[in-house]
Amino acid sequence: MHRLRDSSGSTDGAECRFGELGASSPTEPSSTPTHAGTRSTKPRTTQPAQAKPPRSTPRHADIPSAKPSTTQPAEATLPRGGHEVFPRYRLVGYAGVTGAPTPGRLGMGPLDQRVAEIERRAKPYAAGREILPVVEVIATVVQGSPGRDGKYRVRLTDAQIAKYHKAARKHRAVMLLNLQPGRSEFLTEAKAFEKWLKQPDVGVALDPEWAMDPGQRPGGVYGHTTGAELDQVAGYLSGLVRRYDLPEKVMVYHQVARSVVRRESGLKDHDGVVMIKSVDGLGHPGPKKNTYRVVNKSTPKFVHAGFKLFLTEDRRHGGLLMTPQEVLALKPRPEYVMYE
C-alpha cells in the first residue's frame, strides 16, 4: 500500500489501495473483452494488437449458467419485499472478487459462506430497520497494464457474475456490480452489464478512484469523476426501471477523497434510483471520521450516506476496527455499511 496524490497534489489524508483487487498484478479472465468506450473528454485511442491474458486470471469452480436466475416473484420486487429501499432497509454488505491477489472479504473462502456471514455481521446495524444484505462484486476490475484495448481494466464474464448472482439470490441479497473503469467510462461499463441490470436485484457501485485520464496509469494518482458523469449512469438506470417495471435501483459511488468526485452538483435526482455515497476513508477511527466529515460536505441532499470498513487495513499499526455502535453514531448516520 502506498500514498498517492491526486492531480491537485492533495492526499486528503487517505491512502490509495492500488493492488487490493489485482490492479498491480493483472487478473484478466480468459475471455477478455475487446471493446470499451472512452470519456467524452478523452480522445479515442487505437486499439492495440491482441495479447494473451496473464496467468493470474480470476477463476471460479463449478460456474453455473450465465443466465440470470429466474427464481424471483412474478411481480418484480426487492429481494426482501417492496419497491423502495429507504427508509425500510439498512444495507450491509461485503465487497471483493474471487481470484484476485487481495480479494476483499467477499472473495475469501467459499462464496456461500461469505454471503451467509453478512447476515450475522449486519444484525447490530438494524437500529429499527430491516437489514438488506449486499453482495458487491468487482465486475470491472482495474489493471496495472493496458490490456489489448488499452483501457487498463477487464470485465468478469457473465458466467463468473452468475455465480455471485446465484449466491445473492439464495440469501435474498442485492447484488451490486462494482465498476473500476481504468481509461474506460462508467456509462460504457454499466451498459456492458445491461442483461444483469434488467434484474430487480442488481445495481451498480461506481469507484472513481480508478477512473483514469489519458496518460494516467492506475496506481500512480487518484482517478476522478464528475457529478455529470455520475448523472449519466443514474439516468440510464432510471430508464431501465421504467422500461422493465423494476423496483428501485441502488447506485453507490465510492469516494476516498474530496478530489475524487468533482462538481458534484452535476448529479441530479432520478426516479427509481437510490443514490448512496460510500466514504472510503482508510485507517484508524480518527482519520476515518475526519474523511467522512470532509467528504460529506458536498453531498447532495437526495444522496444517502454510506461508510466503508476495511477488515485488515483499518487494524494496521495498532488500529481498531470501528464497532457498529461507532458507525451508527456518525453524522449523517450511514444507511449502507460495506466491509472489505
Side-chain angles (χ1 to χ4, degrees), residues 80-297:
R80 302 195 173 196
H83 295 82
E84 297 181 355
V85 177
F86 301 123
R88 177 175 175 177
Y89 295 107
R90 193 177 315 279
L91 279 56
V92 180
Y94 283 170
V97 62
T98 301
T102 49
R105 186 62 181 169
L106 187 62
M108 298 175 67
L111 177 59
D112 188 70
Q113 290 182 18
R114 293 289 76 76
V115 180
E117 184 181 291
I118 296 171
E119 191 92 45
R120 298 190 297 272
R121 190 179 290 275
K123 285 182 180 179
Y125 287 103
R129 296 192 183 187
E130 297 177 48
I131 293 296
L132 182 57
V134 176
V135 173
E136 187 171 321
V137 56
I138 318 299
T140 296
V141 188
V142 73
Q143 301 288 284
S145 57
R148 61 191 183 195
D149 63 359
K151 300 300 179 187
Y152 286 87
R153 64 88 183 91
V154 64
R155 299 173 188 146
L156 296 189
T157 65
D158 282 336
Q160 290 169 323
I161 292 173
K163 181 177 181 181
Y164 294 94
H165 190 235
K166 180 180 179 181
R169 190 158 279 185
K170 175 182 176 181
H171 294 276
R172 298 188 300 147
V174 166
M175 181 174 76
L176 299 182
L177 302 175
N178 183 293
L179 308 178
Q180 301 175 342
R183 290 191 191 171
S184 182
E185 62 176 280
F186 283 124
L187 184 59
T188 297
E189 296 307 307
K191 287 183 174 181
F193 297 109
E194 183 167 310
K195 67 178 287 184
W196 298 101
L197 292 172
K198 289 190 292 186
Q199 296 298 308
D201 51 357
V202 181
V204 298
L206 312 178
D207 210 343
E209 177 183 350
W210 303 112
M212 299 291 115
D213 283 336
Q216 291 182 338
R217 181 179 180 275
V221 295
Y222 279 136
H224 66 90
T225 191
T226 65
E229 289 177 321
L230 297 176
D231 192 68
Q232 290 178 340
V233 180
Y236 165 66
L237 295 176
S238 181
L240 292 180
V241 170
R242 289 193 304 272
R243 192 175 313 139
Y244 298 104
D245 194 21
L246 300 172
E248 286 183 329
K249 285 284 177 196
V250 175
M251 184 184 109
V252 174
Y253 58 100
H254 291 283
Q255 190 166 352
V256 68
R258 286 174 299 180
S259 61
V260 167
V261 179
R262 302 175 182 180
R263 300 184 297 281
E264 202 167 354
S265 60
L267 176 61
K268 306 302 181 184
D269 199 5
H270 289 266
D271 289 340
V273 181
V274 171
M275 284 174 258
I276 302 170
K277 178 197 280 191
S278 175
V279 178
D280 291 5
L282 186 73
H284 293 204
K288 285 178 74 74
K289 291 176 183 179
N290 185 63
T291 299
Y292 189 72
R293 178 185 60 81
V294 170
V295 170
N296 268 317
K297 287 182 177 180

Side-chain angles (χ1 to χ4, degrees), residues 121 285 309-312 314-315 319-323 326 339:
R121 190 179 290 275
L309 295 161
F310 297 89
L311 291 168
T312 299
D314 286 356
R315 290 168 163 149
L320 296 174
L321 188 69
M322 289 177 64
T323 67
E326 290 175 312
Y339 285 84

Side-chain angles (χ1 to χ4, degrees), residues 35-89:
H35 171 78
T38 54
R39 298 186 179 194
S40 59
T41 57
K42 297 180 182 179
R44 294 190 179 273
T45 56
T46 303
Q47 183 170 316
Q50 183 172 341
K52 292 182 179 180
R55 291 183 178 180
S56 54
T57 302
R59 299 189 183 278
H60 306 277
D62 303 321
I63 294 176
S65 166
K67 295 181 180 180
S69 172
T70 56
T71 55
Q72 62 190 51
E75 179 189 11
T77 64
L78 294 168
R80 302 195 173 196
H83 295 82
E84 297 181 355
V85 177
F86 301 123
R88 177 175 175 177
Y89 295 107

